[in-house]
Amino acid sequence: MDIEKSFIKSLIKNFKGPSFKVRFWDGEETLVGDSPAAFTLKLNEPLKMKDMTLSTTLAFGEAYMNKTFEIDGDLYFALNSILYNITHFNFDFKGLPKIFHKSSKSKQKENIASHYDIGNDFYSLWLDETLSYSCGYFKNENDSLYDAQMNKIHHILKKLNLKEGDTLLDIGCGWGALLIEATKKYKVKGVGITLSEEQVKKFNERINEEHLENFLEVKLMNYLDLEKLDKNFDAVVSVGMLEHVGRDHYPDFFKAVSSVLKDGGTFLLHYISSLIESPGDPWLKKYIFPGGVIPTLREIISLSAENNYHVLDVENLRLHYRNTLLYWYSNFNDNIEIINKKFDEKFIRMWQLYLCSCAAVFNNGICDLHQILLTKGINNSLPLTRDYMYKD
């Protein structure tokens, strides 16, 4: 028997969940489970034994991109079923040193550009009208993606307890939807920073379209340079940016925030979190988010205390991110004819795998999405209860 085939059979023999079929490159088929197969995994060629030993997700992810590995059936359902069994996967982080390099300041801009500067026209095809590329907040089952993203923005802004005339900094501001809404609703003055040139371009266009030049500005800036702004803010928000910082730079991140946040100021941190400290998934780090690392909740809570931040609220939006990703995946496929004209099949399969596998990751609790509300030092002026966060 082929050693590669034997390895795969050994990997999947204890899988739980829906039954599925595996069809090997020589035509042999095996059923995992006792009921009819809900989907079929097709291996068109043998995978290298070394690759499968180093990282299950990297080996099968690359094989899927190259059509060496295919899935007959609903992609999300299949990936959700497979990732339910992630404890059986192989991860040899020491054998993958190039993927897990530390993220230097100069490397951070390159890493961000590789993902976020693909093109505003690409992201506009499958994100909502706000171009929000982070977890939405579904208050109702029938919320559209736009509804969920606006819900998320208002949920964050209410937590910050903003007042007219306040100043707000958005670290990793994306295309600017949060700051624009903050200015329109609360009449605050804001600054957004990002390392994506495409995002700066679009954000500036939006500022001009909304006639908010006297209220908002966006800067192409690394968070490590925040002290150079020579400004102080009443509140700071960071949505989906901490994942790009790198574990060795978390203390630098808090130091940078402290350099611009007023004493007693509010800080809302919205980020993907992991249950335990890990270097991250090899496939995602190589192809989707180079340099990305997912913090744990305990790391951030500990660093908060060390930097004199008081934690007021912690909320987990894990299933909201599953729903968000499935919306993105549906929108992506709805525009597949346009995307086909812009990118090759390998790129498209990579993005479909990324969106569906991440939805499955959140559904299975492999990752969480946390919002943490903090104050720099003591702030006794905030409401005594959290009711204000949920009032319309």
Side-chain angles (χ1 to χ4, degrees), residues 39-249:
F39 56 90
T40 299
L41 308 182
K42 295 166 55 180
L43 289 157
N44 300 323
E45 298 176 18
L47 275 64
K48 293 180 181 178
M49 187 70 182
K50 179 183 177 183
D51 294 342
M52 290 189 289
T53 303
L54 281 175
S55 169
T56 303
T57 59
L58 181 58
F60 279 87
E62 290 183 330
Y64 186 83
M65 290 163 59
N66 295 320
K67 295 190 75 172
T68 302
F69 168 52
E70 297 182 86
I71 295 175
D72 279 351
D74 183 87
L75 181 60
Y76 168 70
F77 181 84
L79 292 173
N80 186 58
S81 303
I82 293 167
L83 288 172
Y84 177 78
N85 298 278
I86 197 169
T87 54
H88 297 289
F89 288 13
N90 297 296
F91 294 99
D92 178 9
F93 297 114
K94 292 181 180 178
L96 299 163
K98 291 183 179 179
I99 298 175
F100 297 103
H101 63 269
K102 291 185 177 181
S103 184
S104 64
K105 182 179 178 181
S106 59
K107 194 71 175 176
Q108 284 176 354
K109 187 176 189 308
E110 179 184 331
N111 290 340
I112 293 298
S114 71
H115 188 87
Y116 295 93
D117 284 348
I118 294 173
N120 292 333
D121 56 343
F122 169 66
Y123 284 102
S124 65
L125 289 173
W126 51 274
L127 297 179
D128 71 296
E129 302 95 299
T130 71
L131 286 179
S132 294
Y133 189 24
S134 56
C135 175
Y137 184 57
F138 293 83
K139 296 172 70 173
N140 304 291
E141 288 185 6
N142 60 347
D143 279 347
S144 67
L145 180 58
Y146 173 79
D147 292 335
Q149 294 296 0
M150 291 303 291
N151 290 343
K152 181 267 301 294
I153 289 171
H154 287 291
H155 193 45
I156 288 173
L157 296 177
K158 282 188 284 188
K159 286 184 177 184
L160 290 170
N161 200 42
L162 296 170
K163 297 176 177 61
E164 184 174 344
D166 280 352
T167 51
L168 174 63
L169 170 69
D170 188 348
I171 304 174
C173 61
W175 290 272
L178 186 146
L179 277 176
I180 289 172
E181 192 65 20
T183 298
K184 292 165 70 174
K185 186 173 179 63
Y186 297 97
K187 293 183 173 59
V188 303
K189 290 193 174 183
V191 175
I193 68 167
T194 175
L195 287 175
S196 167
E197 294 182 6
E198 286 285 294
Q199 290 179 343
V200 169
K201 177 183 175 183
K202 184 64 177 180
F203 194 176
N204 271 320
E205 289 176 3
R206 286 177 152 180
I207 290 171
N208 293 329
E209 290 168 1
E210 298 281 354
H211 305 293
L212 297 173
E213 297 90 342
N214 294 328
F215 292 90
L216 294 177
E217 61 178 319
V218 57
K219 293 181 176 293
L220 190 69
M221 173 183 282
N222 193 301
Y223 72 92
L224 293 168
D225 295 324
L226 275 174
E227 196 171 3
K228 297 177 183 178
L229 276 178
D230 195 28
K231 291 184 179 182
N232 289 314
F233 296 87
D234 297 294
V236 173
V237 63
S238 183
V239 178
M241 180 270 179
L242 187 62
E243 301 91 318
H244 300 288
V245 167
R247 182 158 281 119
D248 49 317
H249 289 299

Side-chain angles (χ1 to χ4, degrees), residues 21 40 98 102 194 252 286 353 359 364:
K21 188 185 298 182
T40 299
K98 291 183 179 179
K102 291 185 177 181
T194 175
D252 299 326
K286 184 174 181 178
L353 183 63
N364 282 293

Side-chain angles (χ1 to χ4, degrees), residues 115-116 133 244 284-293 354 358:
H115 188 87
Y116 295 93
Y133 189 24
H244 300 288
L284 278 171
K285 288 179 76 78
K286 184 174 181 178
Y287 290 101
I288 307 298
F289 294 115
V293 178
Y354 153 55
C358 285

Side-chain angles (χ1 to χ4, degrees), residues 275-387:
L275 285 175
I276 59 173
E277 291 74 25
S278 163
D281 179 75
W283 183 79
L284 278 171
K285 288 179 76 78
K286 184 174 181 178
Y287 290 101
I288 307 298
F289 294 115
V293 178
I294 299 174
T296 62
L297 180 61
R298 62 186 174 193
E299 282 181 292
I300 302 308
I301 296 296
S302 177
L303 278 166
S304 300
E306 291 173 9
N307 287 274
N308 193 33
Y309 283 87
H310 291 256
V311 177
L312 301 186
D313 184 76
V314 178
E315 185 174 13
N316 191 337
L317 303 180
R318 175 174 64 85
L319 293 179
H320 294 263
Y321 218 163
R322 175 202 61 190
N323 293 354
T324 304
L325 283 152
L326 289 177
Y327 257 115
W328 289 343
Y329 176 62
S330 177
N331 289 347
F332 188 95
N333 286 336
D334 286 345
N335 289 281
I336 200 68
E337 290 185 9
I338 300 173
I339 296 171
N340 271 326
K341 295 176 182 178
K342 296 175 177 290
F343 303 98
D344 61 21
E345 186 178 16
K346 183 175 181 179
F347 175 92
I348 291 169
R349 289 176 68 84
M350 178 181 76
W351 273 80
Q352 290 171 327
L353 183 63
Y354 153 55
L355 295 172
C356 274
S357 63
C358 285
V361 160
F362 286 104
N363 191 60
N364 282 293
I366 298 167
C367 287
D368 291 306
L369 189 287
H370 279 110
Q371 281 187 359
I372 308 177
L373 178 66
L374 313 104
T375 60
K376 180 184 174 184
I378 293 294
N379 182 333
N380 291 337
S381 65
L382 291 167
L384 287 175
T385 72
R386 296 185 295 177
D387 291 348

